[in-house]
Amino acid sequence: MTHSIEQGVGSGKTVTCPICGELFTCALSSTCWCASRKVPAEVTEYLAGRYETCVCSACLDRLIEQAGSGESP
């Protein structure tokens, strides 16, 4: 799977989620939507070891939920 980041309109970039293929906007800063999520260290490590870019909110929320319920991401 190819990860793509394209210049978006306004601030941030349009990113293709490497898990589900959905397009979403990443602000690439502390103002991004993901900054409001409490991401467990195991999820951060899982993502860093597998993907070169961000994942969409639905996939991130699913991974956070799995980690919270004791499931492996």
Side-chain angles (χ1 to χ4, degrees):
M1 176 177 276
T2 302
H3 305 158
S4 66
I5 299 178
E6 303 168 10
Q7 186 66 33
V9 177
S11 63
K13 299 206 182 251
T14 300
V15 180
T16 302
C17 178
I19 297 174
C20 71
E22 287 294 316
L23 294 177
F24 65 97
T25 301
C26 175
L28 300 170
S29 71
S30 62
T31 62
C32 190
W33 60 265
C34 67
S36 67
R37 304 302 201 278
K38 189 172 184 177
V39 182
E42 66 187 90
V43 173
T44 301
E45 291 169 12
Y46 173 85
L47 292 171
R50 286 166 181 77
Y51 306 110
E52 296 177 16
T53 189
C54 309
V55 299
C56 71
S57 62
C59 288
L60 182 58
D61 289 343
R62 181 179 47 80
L63 291 169
I64 291 168
E65 184 179 320
Q66 286 176 341
S69 67
E71 294 178 49
S72 294

